[in-house]
């Protein structure tokens, strides 16, 4: 059984560019949540996907968007990158989207925006 | 609305001493509460969770936490610190709707030999 994997591990972009981050969920999991963790802060919830549908969203602008595929892997897309988007982006998978379903986190993608 | 407050961004303890990391929460509905640990350059690992069953929750690596509704607290403890416990610890809260988990700002635990 493989855990949650994310790619790439590190990424450097410039302001205004677009970026796509990828997450492969743990085998058997149908729910993926994305979090942004700025340096020295706790993770902040971006959104959750359950069976290919967005199932909830945090306080992030529309330029943060996502997809979940039939195999339950997921992408996070960020358009018009800003300097403040520099952060560690974490995805977490679970079996079900309820609060009682344990989330398993990937190692994250470190995004630097110059 | 839900939130958590972690008191102390840095805590230092001697090896073998008691570990106490503080967390207070705010939630308009009965909460689910979590403690996660994050080692450098890694994702988060669940230590334990409270889901309205027993108020004293035991987790992995010898950690436990007690849910106190009257104090709106969910402090994390471990009787004897090990060097391997040095990491950052996050308290988190969510409601029953879905996993819009709100994390605290974290407490970095340093264990002194």
């Amino acid at each position: 059984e493989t855990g949650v994997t994310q790619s790439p591990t590190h990424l450097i972009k410039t302001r205004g560019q677009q970026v796509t981050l990828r997450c492969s969920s743990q085998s058997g999991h149908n729910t993926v949540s994305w979090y942004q963790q700025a340096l020295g802060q706790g993770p902040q919830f971006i959104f959750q996907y359950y069976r290919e549908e967005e199932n909830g969203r945090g306080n992030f602008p529309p330029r943060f968007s996502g997809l979940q595929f039939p195999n339950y892997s997921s992408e996070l897309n960020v358009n018009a990158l800003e300097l403040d988007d520099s952060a560690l982006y974490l995805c977490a998978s679970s079996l079900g989207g309820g609060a009682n379903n344990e989330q398993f986190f990937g190692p994250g993608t470190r995004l630097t925006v110059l | 609305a839900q939130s958590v407050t972690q008191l102390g961004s840095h805590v230092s303890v001697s090896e073998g001493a008691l570990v106490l990391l503080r967390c207070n929460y705010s939630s308009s509905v009965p909460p689910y509460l979590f403690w996660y640990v994050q080692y450098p350059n890694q994702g988060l690992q669940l230590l334990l969770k409270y889901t309205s069953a027993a108020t004293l929750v035991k987790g992995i690596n010898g950690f436990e936490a007690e849910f106190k509704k009257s104090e709106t607290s969910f402090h994390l403890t471990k009787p004897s610190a090990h060097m391997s416990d040095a990491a950052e610890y996050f308290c988190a809260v969510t409601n029953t709707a879905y996993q819009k988990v709100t994390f605290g700002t974290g407490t970095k635990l340093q264990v002194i030999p």
Side-chain angles (χ1 to χ4, degrees):
Chain A
E1 179 181 283
T2 57
V4 179
T5 60
Q6 293 185 242
S7 63
T9 54
H10 295 83
L11 202 52
I12 299 175
K13 292 285 189 178
T14 57
R15 276 185 303 174
Q17 286 188 311
Q18 178 268 341
V19 68
T20 298
L21 310 181
R22 295 178 175 82
C23 172
S24 291
S25 57
Q26 187 164 307
S27 177
H29 287 181
N30 55 17
T31 304
V32 172
S33 300
W34 285 92
Y35 295 85
Q36 180 195 68
Q37 186 177 16
L39 198 61
Q41 300 295 317
Q44 289 195 43
F45 176 79
I46 303 175
F47 43 57
Q48 179 187 83
Y49 279 83
Y50 172 67
R51 293 186 174 181
E52 303 178 60
E53 297 286 333
E54 187 178 292
N55 189 41
R57 189 179 182 90
N59 297 324
F60 281 81
R63 60 188 184 84
F64 285 79
S65 63
L67 280 173
Q68 189 178 32
F69 300 99
N71 66 355
Y72 301 131
S73 66
S74 178
E75 287 182 353
L76 165 65
N77 299 290
V78 187
N79 294 322
L81 284 167
E82 301 177 0
L83 295 179
D84 285 348
D85 296 334
S86 295
L88 180 68
Y89 288 85
L90 297 166
C91 81
S93 76
S94 58
L95 181 58
N100 196 33
N101 300 114
E102 182 176 347
Q103 295 186 83
F104 293 82
F105 283 81
T109 293
R110 175 76 62 186
L111 173 64
T112 302
V113 182
L114 303 176
Chain B
Q2 57 193 33
S3 65
V4 290
T5 302
Q6 291 185 242
L7 300 176
S9 58
H10 292 80
V11 170
S12 293
V13 300
S14 298
E15 191 175 14
L18 171 72
V19 176
L20 170 61
L21 304 182
R22 298 177 187 274
C23 173
N24 288 89
Y25 72 91
S26 172
S27 176
S28 57
V29 297
Y32 282 27
L33 293 160
F34 309 84
W35 275 100
Y36 286 88
V37 61
Q38 187 176 35
Y39 296 98
N41 301 315
Q42 293 188 26
L44 299 166
Q45 181 183 13
L46 181 67
L47 280 177
L48 50 81
K49 65 179 179 181
Y50 167 76
T51 59
S52 76
T55 56
L56 182 62
V57 182
K58 295 187 183 298
I60 62 172
N61 302 338
F63 285 94
E64 63 182 37
E66 186 172 7
F67 174 71
K68 292 186 176 180
K69 184 177 179 180
S70 61
E71 299 177 8
T72 60
S73 69
F74 191 57
H75 302 331
L76 182 70
T77 61
K78 181 174 180 177
S80 176
H82 295 173
M83 296 300 295
S84 60
D85 294 328
E88 189 158 21
Y89 293 81
F90 292 93
C91 182
V93 63
T94 190
N95 58 34
T96 57
Y98 64 95
Q99 293 161 337
K100 184 179 178 181
V101 181
T102 299
F103 286 85
T105 52
T107 297
K108 286 186 179 176
L109 177 66
Q110 180 186 23
V111 182
I112 303 167

